Amino acid sequence: MKFNYLLLGITIITLSSFSKENAEEKYTRKVDIVLQSSDGEKLIAKSDCIGCHKMDKKLIGPSYLEIANKYAANEKNISYLSNKIIKGGSGVWGSIPMGAHASMKKDEAKTIAKYILSLKK
């Protein structure tokens, strides 16, 4: 009986040594992917955007996906949306106005706009 357990143990160790995947590398890659987030996501998380906008459904304002699907990802639209973020406005998505974010820097607003437009499906 001891011989059978010994043989089983040797077989398991031998078979597991032929594995092509490096388990440590596999788990490291997954962690890296989870931890990566874009600068636009980070800026949105730090601002008050999440109070009115959600990723995939309308809250007070349109979802980020609705915005991405409405506008092409080009410099003209990035500039337009970044100005809207800073100055606020109304009328495009309904009568509820979007508040101004006057303290936000132009490059931060552009980063947010680029991120939102990158979500287009």
Side-chain angles (χ1 to χ4, degrees):
M1 187 71 167
K2 289 180 185 180
F3 180 74
N4 288 342
Y5 285 123
L6 179 63
L7 188 59
L8 179 64
I10 291 171
T11 304
I12 290 172
I13 291 171
T14 303
L15 290 175
S16 65
S17 68
F18 289 114
S19 173
K20 291 183 181 180
E21 290 188 66
N22 182 349
E24 185 177 313
E25 182 180 308
K26 181 174 88 172
Y27 292 117
T28 302
R29 278 185 276 145
K30 285 186 178 182
V31 169
D32 288 343
I33 292 169
V34 171
L35 294 177
Q36 289 177 352
S37 63
S38 74
D39 292 338
E41 282 179 293
K42 291 174 187 174
L43 289 170
I44 287 172
K46 289 193 311 188
S47 72
D48 63 348
C49 300
I50 58 173
C52 298
H53 301 278
K54 296 290 178 202
M55 179 63 71
D56 57 353
K57 60 183 173 182
K58 180 176 174 46
L59 192 56
I60 294 171
S63 72
Y64 299 131
L65 291 175
E66 288 176 312
I67 297 167
N69 289 327
K70 182 174 177 114
Y71 298 100
N74 58 42
E75 282 301 317
K76 179 182 174 186
N77 288 334
I78 291 169
S79 180
Y80 170 75
L81 291 173
S82 63
N83 285 330
K84 279 288 225 185
I85 292 168
I86 293 171
K87 296 177 183 175
S90 67
V92 177
W93 296 95
S95 60
I96 299 174
M98 181 173 90
H101 299 86
S103 64
M104 187 175 287
K105 296 176 185 172
K106 180 76 170 175
D107 61 326
E108 292 175 334
K110 279 191 170 192
T111 301
I112 290 172
K114 285 178 186 177
Y115 165 70
I116 292 170
L117 294 180
S118 75
L119 300 172
K120 187 172 194 161
K121 290 189 175 186

